[in-house]
Amino acid sequence: MTLSNSRRLLVLAVAVLLLGGLAAALVLRSATRDDEPSAGGPTIAAGTVTLDRPGSLTFLNNGGQGPHRGTLASVPADAPESARTASELGCQRFYAAAGTGVCLRSTPGALAQDNKALIVDAELRTLRSFPLAGTPSRARVSPSGRFAAWTVFVSGESYGAAFFSTRTAIVDTRTWKLEANLEEFAIDMDGREHRAQDVNFWGVTFSKDDDTFYATVSTGGETHLVKGSISGRSVKTLVKNVECPSLSPDETRIAYKKRVRAGASLWREHVMDLGTLRDHALAEKRSVDDQAAWLDDRTLAYALPTDGAADSTDLWTVPADGSGTPRLLAPGASSPARLG
């Protein structure tokens, strides 16, 4: 080998080493960036999250990037700004009550049969999984933890779309009996049996009696609040223009989103007295496309898109009596549930 060839090989080897080092540095930098919370964001650390710890607030992390994005997190309910403890459970929608949780999972780009509803215990161990017929939308658990419900979009991606179809299911976590499609329930509309091809159910909320539930039914271009019976496999319409109901802890009121402009994806949060069916608007004037959660008998929590950030929402609260002003509860979060 000549001296000239030796020098060429040396230069080539050095170049390869430099390029390899640069690539490794870029990978390391990318990994570091993805493994860290966004600048100025809440502190998040891996830890143990359980669903039987009274006084806790659980929600899904969805702000910024990193290993905890989309995972279930927990903070003290009276200190929501404190450091978050993140679990390894990742979901698109989540809700919990009495030590039972429902986690809706959807893998981007995966086949529909890969989407699942997981029923988890207080330690977040999966008890049973069920295939989802579409994209996760709403999730609820009854106050006793016995029943879980979920809604998915079978077609369309929002309740404001011109054409969409939903599928709503309820499962008994004691017997594992599954009502896979509430559209099979009998509908009493204004005292008459109603049957139609365009019926859609969504947004279940449960009573404490482990039988009564409320939900939204859409048919004929209108939405209705319905009161249903799981054992009776039936529902009855109560009032129009009610979407995504949420029953108060004292079971006297329903919080819901009310469409304020026909044909537009604009809603205003309201609270309705179930005794009189009279309602009032809440202080939140932005359009809320969420199923609000009661933190207590006086306060509601809901998600709104984060300003200037794609694929992120923040949790806000507002008094249920229509007074006060909206207040930021937790940035980069969704699917709130107060435990115990």
Side-chain angles (χ1 to χ4, degrees):
M1 181 181 296
T2 65
L3 181 60
S4 178
N5 287 338
S6 297
R7 286 177 177 174
R8 290 194 186 98
L9 289 174
L10 178 61
V11 170
L12 180 59
V14 171
V16 169
L17 288 172
L18 289 174
L19 289 173
L22 178 60
L26 289 174
V27 170
L28 179 60
R29 181 180 177 184
S30 175
T32 301
R33 182 177 62 249
D34 289 343
D35 288 347
E36 294 177 349
S38 302
T43 301
I44 307 173
T48 300
V49 175
T50 62
L51 304 181
D52 56 1
R53 187 174 299 166
S56 296
L57 177 70
T58 63
F59 50 78
L60 297 177
N61 285 304
N62 64 26
Q65 299 297 324
H68 305 305
R69 179 175 173 83
T71 62
L72 182 68
S74 175
V75 294
D78 58 359
E81 72 287 349
S82 61
R84 301 177 181 181
T85 300
S87 71
E88 296 181 353
L89 182 66
C91 315
Q92 274 68 50
R93 292 288 186 273
F94 184 85
Y95 196 77
T100 299
V102 57
C103 167
L104 306 188
R105 282 183 169 175
S106 175
T107 304
L111 298 176
Q113 56 263 33
D114 293 329
N115 298 342
K116 296 184 181 299
L118 307 181
I119 306 300
V120 300
D121 65 11
E123 306 300 322
L124 305 186
R125 294 172 297 210
T126 299
L127 300 174
R128 194 69 64 96
S129 68
F130 300 89
L132 296 179
T135 306
S137 173
R138 305 291 182 233
R140 276 298 186 268
V141 175
S142 65
S144 71
R146 177 174 177 177
F147 290 96
W150 56 84
T151 298
V152 299
F153 285 113
V154 179
S155 60
E157 295 183 353
S158 84
Y159 296 104
F163 302 99
F164 69 89
S165 178
T166 61
R167 184 73 55 81
T168 296
I170 295 178
V171 66
D172 186 331
T173 67
R174 293 182 186 172
T175 66
W176 298 115
K177 179 183 179 182
L178 175 68
E179 295 289 357
N181 188 357
L182 293 194
E183 292 170 26
E184 298 175 359
F185 279 31
I187 301 174
D188 178 339
M189 182 174 291
D190 301 325
R192 297 181 179 180
E193 183 180 7
H194 179 78
R195 294 181 180 273
Q197 293 295 320
D198 67 346
V199 169
N200 282 289
F201 279 78
W202 68 83
V204 168
T205 184
F206 294 100
S207 173
K208 298 174 183 176
D209 65 8
D210 279 340
D211 185 60
T212 303
F213 69 93
Y214 297 85
T216 294
V217 166
S218 172
T219 184
E222 296 180 317
T223 58
H224 305 257
L225 173 67
V226 295
K227 181 179 182 179
S229 165
I230 299 172
S231 62
R233 303 186 78 249
S234 63
V235 300
K236 180 179 181 180
T237 60
L238 299 179
V239 65
K240 295 180 181 180
N241 198 8
V242 172
E243 299 184 51
C244 300
S246 183
L247 185 62
S248 63
D250 64 10
E251 303 200 353
T252 64
R253 292 155 294 160
I254 286 281
Y256 68 100
K257 63 178 195 177
K258 184 175 186 177
R259 194 178 294 270
V260 293
R261 186 180 300 173
S265 300
L266 294 173
W267 296 273
R268 179 98 183 255
E269 276 297 313
H270 282 65
V271 167
M272 176 183 296
D273 184 289
L274 285 172
T276 64
L277 298 185
R278 294 178 180 174
D279 67 356
H280 60 265
L282 303 188
E284 177 58 79
K285 296 182 179 180
R286 291 168 291 185
S287 182
V288 177
D289 184 8
D290 194 16
Q291 185 174 15
W294 293 80
L295 300 183
D296 53 44
D297 276 321
R298 302 175 304 279
T299 313
L300 287 157
Y302 49 91
L304 284 171
T306 303
D307 288 339
D311 301 323
S312 176
T313 60
D314 301 324
L315 288 177
W316 292 77
T317 65
V318 71
D321 63 3
S323 66
T325 58
R327 182 177 64 85
L328 180 64
L329 177 68
S334 64
S335 295
R338 178 159 184 166
L339 306 181

